[in-house]
Short mmCIF file of all heavy atoms in Angstrom, two decimals:
data_model
loop_
_atom_site.label_atom_id
_atom_site.label_comp_id
_atom_site.label_asym_id
_atom_site.label_seq_id
_atom_site.Cartn_x
_atom_site.Cartn_y
_atom_site.Cartn_z
N GLY A 1499 14.86 30.79 -125.66
CA GLY A 1499 16.04 29.94 -125.53
C GLY A 1499 17.14 30.45 -126.41
O GLY A 1499 16.92 30.74 -127.58
N LEU A 1500 18.33 30.62 -125.81
CA LEU A 1500 19.46 31.17 -126.52
C LEU A 1500 20.54 30.12 -126.72
O LEU A 1500 21.75 30.44 -126.67
CB LEU A 1500 19.97 32.37 -125.79
CG LEU A 1500 18.96 33.46 -125.51
CD1 LEU A 1500 19.61 34.61 -124.77
CD2 LEU A 1500 18.35 33.95 -126.84
N GLY A 1501 20.13 28.89 -126.98
CA GLY A 1501 21.13 27.80 -127.17
C GLY A 1501 21.57 27.71 -128.57
O GLY A 1501 21.56 28.65 -129.35
N TYR A 1502 21.97 26.47 -128.93
CA TYR A 1502 22.56 26.26 -130.27
C TYR A 1502 21.52 26.38 -131.38
O TYR A 1502 21.90 26.46 -132.53
CB TYR A 1502 23.28 24.95 -130.34
CG TYR A 1502 22.41 23.72 -130.16
CD1 TYR A 1502 21.86 23.07 -131.25
CD2 TYR A 1502 22.13 23.22 -128.90
CE1 TYR A 1502 21.07 21.96 -131.13
CE2 TYR A 1502 21.32 22.10 -128.72
CZ TYR A 1502 20.83 21.45 -129.87
OH TYR A 1502 20.03 20.35 -129.66
N VAL A 1503 20.24 26.45 -131.05
CA VAL A 1503 19.22 26.68 -132.10
C VAL A 1503 18.76 28.14 -132.07
O VAL A 1503 18.60 28.80 -133.10
CB VAL A 1503 18.00 25.74 -131.91
CG1 VAL A 1503 16.86 26.11 -132.84
CG2 VAL A 1503 18.42 24.31 -132.09
N GLY A 1504 18.51 28.68 -130.89
CA GLY A 1504 17.96 30.00 -130.71
C GLY A 1504 18.77 31.12 -131.25
O GLY A 1504 18.27 31.99 -131.93
N ILE A 1505 20.08 31.10 -131.00
CA ILE A 1505 20.95 32.19 -131.46
C ILE A 1505 21.08 32.19 -132.97
O ILE A 1505 20.84 33.25 -133.57
CB ILE A 1505 22.33 32.17 -130.76
CG1 ILE A 1505 22.09 32.55 -129.29
CG2 ILE A 1505 23.31 33.06 -131.41
CD1 ILE A 1505 23.36 32.51 -128.47
N PRO A 1506 21.39 31.10 -133.62
CA PRO A 1506 21.46 31.13 -135.13
C PRO A 1506 20.12 31.47 -135.75
O PRO A 1506 20.05 32.18 -136.75
CB PRO A 1506 21.85 29.71 -135.50
CG PRO A 1506 22.52 29.12 -134.29
CD PRO A 1506 21.85 29.81 -133.13
N LEU A 1507 19.02 30.98 -135.19
CA LEU A 1507 17.67 31.29 -135.68
C LEU A 1507 17.44 32.82 -135.59
O LEU A 1507 16.94 33.42 -136.53
CB LEU A 1507 16.63 30.51 -134.94
CG LEU A 1507 15.22 30.65 -135.37
CD1 LEU A 1507 15.03 30.07 -136.77
CD2 LEU A 1507 14.32 29.96 -134.39
N SER A 1508 17.80 33.42 -134.43
CA SER A 1508 17.61 34.81 -134.19
C SER A 1508 18.40 35.61 -135.20
O SER A 1508 17.95 36.61 -135.80
CB SER A 1508 18.04 35.24 -132.83
OG SER A 1508 17.31 34.53 -131.87
N ILE A 1509 19.64 35.20 -135.43
CA ILE A 1509 20.57 35.92 -136.37
C ILE A 1509 19.93 35.83 -137.82
O ILE A 1509 19.98 36.84 -138.56
CB ILE A 1509 21.98 35.32 -136.33
CG1 ILE A 1509 22.62 35.67 -134.95
CG2 ILE A 1509 22.83 35.83 -137.49
CD1 ILE A 1509 23.90 34.93 -134.69
N SER A 1510 19.45 34.67 -138.20
CA SER A 1510 18.88 34.49 -139.53
C SER A 1510 17.70 35.42 -139.74
O SER A 1510 17.58 36.09 -140.73
CB SER A 1510 18.42 33.09 -139.75
OG SER A 1510 19.54 32.19 -139.67
N PHE A 1511 16.77 35.47 -138.79
CA PHE A 1511 15.63 36.39 -138.91
C PHE A 1511 16.05 37.85 -138.95
O PHE A 1511 15.53 38.62 -139.73
CB PHE A 1511 14.66 36.18 -137.72
CG PHE A 1511 13.72 35.03 -137.88
CD1 PHE A 1511 13.66 34.04 -136.94
CD2 PHE A 1511 12.86 34.94 -138.99
CE1 PHE A 1511 12.79 32.97 -137.05
CE2 PHE A 1511 11.99 33.89 -139.12
CZ PHE A 1511 11.96 32.87 -138.14
N SER A 1512 17.07 38.17 -138.16
CA SER A 1512 17.56 39.55 -138.11
C SER A 1512 18.21 39.91 -139.46
O SER A 1512 18.02 41.08 -139.95
CB SER A 1512 18.54 39.69 -136.96
OG SER A 1512 19.02 41.00 -136.88
#
Side-chain angles (χ1 to χ4, degrees):
L1500 304 179
Y1502 65 93
V1503 173
I1505 290 178
L1507 184 65
S1508 302
I1509 292 170
S1510 296
F1511 278 123
S1512 181

